[in-house]
Amino acid sequence: MFKLIGFAFGFLFVIGLPNSTALAQETAQSMLAVQIRSQGYTCDKALGAVRDAKRSKPDYEVWVLRCSNATYRVGRWPDMAAKVEVIR
């Protein structure tokens, strides 16, 4: 009985992994869009967000946020306003 329950949870976990990556990406782009809007930038519709591993450091993440009207580079420190740079 316990093996069957363990198998069922394991199966659901593995099936959910591809969707969780998409969900995390969607959450990052919507979170970044909300943050830059709160700082006075316009992001009509968030189309995607990609983490810039080259510019990111410990406790400082850099993301490229694509919106329908512009593209932004967003640098984020914990508990501080983001550094926003308009790329296009």
Side-chain angles (χ1 to χ4, degrees), residues 26-78:
E26 184 176 321
T27 303
Q29 78 185 31
S30 61
M31 178 188 64
L32 290 167
V34 168
Q35 184 166 13
I36 68 166
R37 285 183 197 124
S38 72
Q39 292 181 222
Y41 293 89
T42 304
C43 181
D44 295 332
K45 181 179 179 185
L47 301 176
V50 177
R51 188 172 180 272
D52 188 340
K54 203 177 235 185
R55 288 188 168 93
S56 294
K57 299 174 185 170
D59 291 332
Y60 181 72
E61 290 184 336
V62 178
W63 292 81
V64 175
L65 174 66
R66 284 186 320 110
C67 298
S68 60
N69 60 312
T71 301
Y72 301 98
R73 181 173 293 123
V74 183
R76 299 183 65 233
W77 292 275

